[in-house]
Amino acid sequence: MSIRILVADDQSMVRAGFRMLLGGEPDIEVVAEASNGLEAVDKAARFHPDVVLMDIRMPELDGLEATRRILAADADARVLVLTTFDLDEYVYEALRAGASGFVLKDDPPEQLLAAIRIVAAGEALLSPAITKRVIERFTRLPRPEAPRGLEELTERELDVFRLVARGLSNAEIGKELFISETTVKTHITHVLRKLGLRDRVQAVVLAHEAALFEPDERPAG
Amino acid sequence: MSIRILVADDQSMVRAGFRMLLGGEPDIEVVAEASNGLEAVDKAARFHPDVVLMDIRMPELDGLEATRRILAADADARVLVLTTFDLDEYVYEALRAGASGFVLKDDPPEQLLAAIRIVAAGEALLSPAITKRVIERFTRLPRPEAPRGLEELTERELDVFRLVARGLSNAEIGKELFISETTVKTHITHVLRKLGLRDRVQAVVLAHEAALFEPDERPAG
DNA sequence: TTCGCCCTCCTACCTCGGTAGGAGGCAGCG
DNA sequence: CGCTGCCTCCTACCGAGGTAGGAGGGCGAA
């Protein structure tokens, strides 16, 4: 009754790493591997794994579209998305695509294992019901259409968002980024509109619920 | 090379539960138990466990003071504090006492196991560096003195704090709790002052960093 | 070059959030 | 009994946050 895993990543070294890591766990078994998105969809249909470990950046078909197709074929499938960057607009896409959770590639191995077990147990990742709320929020988008048109945040908007998520005021963010408070306001307005949020408070909640960031150096003050 | 655990809880049923739960894990071993704080300090010194599972409410010596003494005797000790309530002012005390993390007693077992493994691996709990920041923040308090005088939040203040942490506005909180917006403001002012925070945004950050809450039903709107 | 996007900054405006300070009711305690 | 703490609500004030709308410069694509 072990947890059956499909590993989908285009780098064979990475797949080997996961095989090694997961091989050491008695309750986890890698039953299949895929090196691109199409293969992942195919093998998910054939092997019906309990959890799909899905890299986002893959040839043929990226992890997001692959996730969508897997979920379309089997609504009960569990996909755990692997991301490289701390704050990545792909995260939103992944959640909308139906992923059960996501893990940073340079998280400690224990976290990946914990994530797999939690997802396999039917919970969404990291904060059980929390992530579900995020998923719901992003599932019922303001615009019912919007195919792949989810507006992405720009670099600068991400910079500001990160600092907002740490609780900084607009003035503090300005000092931190060497821009005026006015400019900070501009960026924040854009962030809020793009994400469909009301104010910075909701932005903080979202950032933390979805674990969209990892803390690095703190402001100079 | 399994993880060696000391379970400190005054209720033998609870201890038995942990023994059962942890006994099923191949990499975890319960090496000692304690039914009060003094015993916990004593056994921690004698057994040098990798992780101490520490209940807060205990006779003789509570979990907070026990944690302080254990850390005083061995700065490398890892204490994982168990709390019953989602948002408990003890959490702050626990962090200040040097706890590596904390877990809710009614969290799913997987989370406890994950927490133990993470703490044993030397990381602070749930969000690696994040909790460290919280600890730092509470270690260097505004007032160097303040012995046990950390002001506690009242029931109602906790209610409000919880909703703030979910991103609700004052008006929404008022509707949710059937009180006026003015009253909400009063409570929030008190919460901020007691916790030494600037505004609700910082409150949200704190709540999420320290994982002070668990999400339950969402507002009716 | 022209178009568009991004980043920067501005004024003006208004709402929301937080502070200050007071007030009444209610319950527990010495 | 009076004291204290908690919860409730109020007015008044003001600063921070968010919106609206415009503007200029840089840079890359068409």
Side-chain angles (χ1 to χ4, degrees):
Chain A
M1 283 309 295
S2 60
I3 302 172
R4 302 170 61 254
I5 306 281
L6 164 60
V7 176
D9 194 301
D10 62 327
Q11 299 179 26
S12 59
M13 283 294 290
V14 174
R15 292 201 306 277
F18 283 124
R19 258 201 322 268
M20 290 276 289
L21 173 63
L22 302 179
E25 300 301 306
D27 59 333
I28 295 177
E29 180 190 3
V30 176
V31 296
E33 297 182 16
S35 60
N36 65 57
L38 284 177
E39 206 181 326
V41 175
D42 176 52
K43 299 215 168 166
R46 288 203 277 131
F47 288 91
H48 281 287
D50 296 305
V51 178
V52 181
L53 279 189
M54 179 77 77
D55 188 26
I56 288 189
R57 298 161 199 268
M58 283 192 297
E60 302 290 336
L61 199 67
D62 68 26
L64 300 173
E65 185 55 31
T67 298
R68 284 190 203 96
R69 295 195 190 177
I70 290 174
L71 268 296
D74 174 11
D76 292 333
R78 306 278 170 185
V79 178
L80 193 53
V81 170
L82 300 166
T83 70
T84 306
F85 309 109
D86 49 355
L87 180 52
D88 194 327
E89 65 280 4
Y90 286 144
V91 167
Y92 305 110
E93 289 277 358
L95 292 173
R96 290 181 54 220
S100 293
F102 54 91
V103 178
L104 301 184
K105 278 194 177 178
D106 46 2
D107 271 350
E110 294 80 26
Q111 291 208 0
L112 173 64
L113 296 174
I116 288 176
R117 294 189 175 103
I118 290 172
V119 169
E123 293 284 356
L125 183 57
L126 253 193
S127 324
I130 293 181
T131 309
K132 272 180 191 157
R133 274 207 287 152
V134 177
I135 292 172
E136 284 167 13
R137 176 182 300 172
F138 280 88
T139 305
R140 47 160 176 74
L141 274 176
R143 299 171 187 168
E145 63 277 18
R148 64 207 164 289
L150 180 73
E151 302 185 84
E152 294 177 358
L153 299 185
T154 67
E155 270 304 306
R156 212 49 170 164
E157 286 162 0
L158 286 180
D159 290 339
V160 173
F161 189 8
R162 253 183 288 258
L163 297 178
V164 168
R166 284 206 232 146
L168 275 66
S169 70
N170 288 340
E172 288 168 340
I173 294 173
K175 282 176 194 161
E176 186 74 6
L177 298 179
F178 302 105
I179 58 181
S180 81
E181 190 179 340
T182 320
T183 305
V184 175
K185 285 188 175 187
T186 303
H187 290 312
I188 288 185
T189 297
H190 293 160
V191 169
L192 295 180
R193 182 160 35 216
K194 286 182 179 178
L195 299 183
L197 303 173
R198 181 177 58 197
D199 53 31
R200 71 198 296 111
V201 180
Q202 294 197 340
V204 174
V205 174
L206 172 66
H208 283 83
E209 279 183 345
L212 296 180
F213 69 99
E214 55 176 348
D216 44 342
E217 84 291 351
R218 93 197 48 174
Chain B
M1 282 310 294
S2 59
I3 302 173
R4 302 170 60 254
I5 306 282
L6 164 60
V7 176
D9 194 302
D10 61 327
Q11 299 179 26
S12 60
M13 283 294 291
V14 174
R15 292 201 305 277
F18 282 124
R19 259 203 318 271
M20 289 276 289
L21 173 63
L22 301 179
E25 299 300 306
D27 59 334
I28 294 179
E29 180 189 1
V30 177
V31 295
E33 297 182 15
S35 61
N36 64 56
L38 284 177
E39 207 182 325
V41 175
D42 176 53
K43 298 217 168 165
R46 289 204 277 129
F47 289 91
H48 279 288
D50 297 306
V51 177
V52 181
L53 279 189
M54 178 78 76
D55 188 26
I56 287 189
R57 297 161 201 269
M58 283 193 297
E60 303 290 337
L61 199 69
D62 69 24
L64 300 173
E65 185 55 31
T67 298
R68 284 190 201 95
R69 295 194 191 178
I70 289 174
L71 268 296
D74 174 11
D76 292 334
R78 304 278 170 186
V79 178
L80 193 51
V81 170
L82 300 165
T83 71
T84 307
F85 309 109
D86 48 355
L87 179 50
D88 193 328
E89 65 282 1
Y90 287 143
V91 166
Y92 304 110
E93 288 278 357
L95 292 174
R96 290 180 53 220
S100 292
F102 54 91
V103 178
L104 300 184
K105 278 194 177 178
D106 47 1
D107 270 350
E110 294 81 24
Q111 291 207 0
L112 174 64
L113 296 174
I116 289 176
R117 294 189 175 102
I118 290 172
V119 170
E123 293 285 356
L125 183 56
L126 253 196
S127 324
I130 293 180
T131 310
K132 273 180 191 159
R133 274 206 286 151
V134 177
I135 292 171
E136 283 167 13
R137 173 182 303 172
F138 280 88
T139 304
R140 46 163 175 73
L141 274 177
R143 298 170 187 167
E145 65 276 19
R148 65 205 164 290
L150 182 72
E151 302 184 87
E152 296 178 358
L153 298 186
T154 67
E155 272 303 308
R156 212 48 171 161
E157 285 162 1
L158 287 180
D159 290 339
V160 173
F161 189 7
R162 253 183 288 259
L163 297 178
V164 168
R166 286 207 230 144
L168 275 66
S169 70
N170 288 341
E172 288 168 341
I173 294 173
K175 283 178 194 158
E176 186 75 5
L177 299 180
F178 302 103
I179 56 180
S180 81
E181 189 179 339
T182 319
T183 306
V184 175
K185 285 188 175 188
T186 303
H187 289 313
I188 288 185
T189 297
H190 293 159
V191 169
L192 296 181
R193 185 166 25 223
K194 286 182 180 178
L195 299 183
L197 303 173
R198 182 177 56 198
D199 53 32
R200 72 200 295 110
V201 180
Q202 294 196 341
V204 173
V205 174
L206 173 66
H208 283 80
E209 279 183 344
L212 297 181
F213 70 99
E214 56 176 350
D216 45 340
E217 85 291 350
R218 92 198 49 178

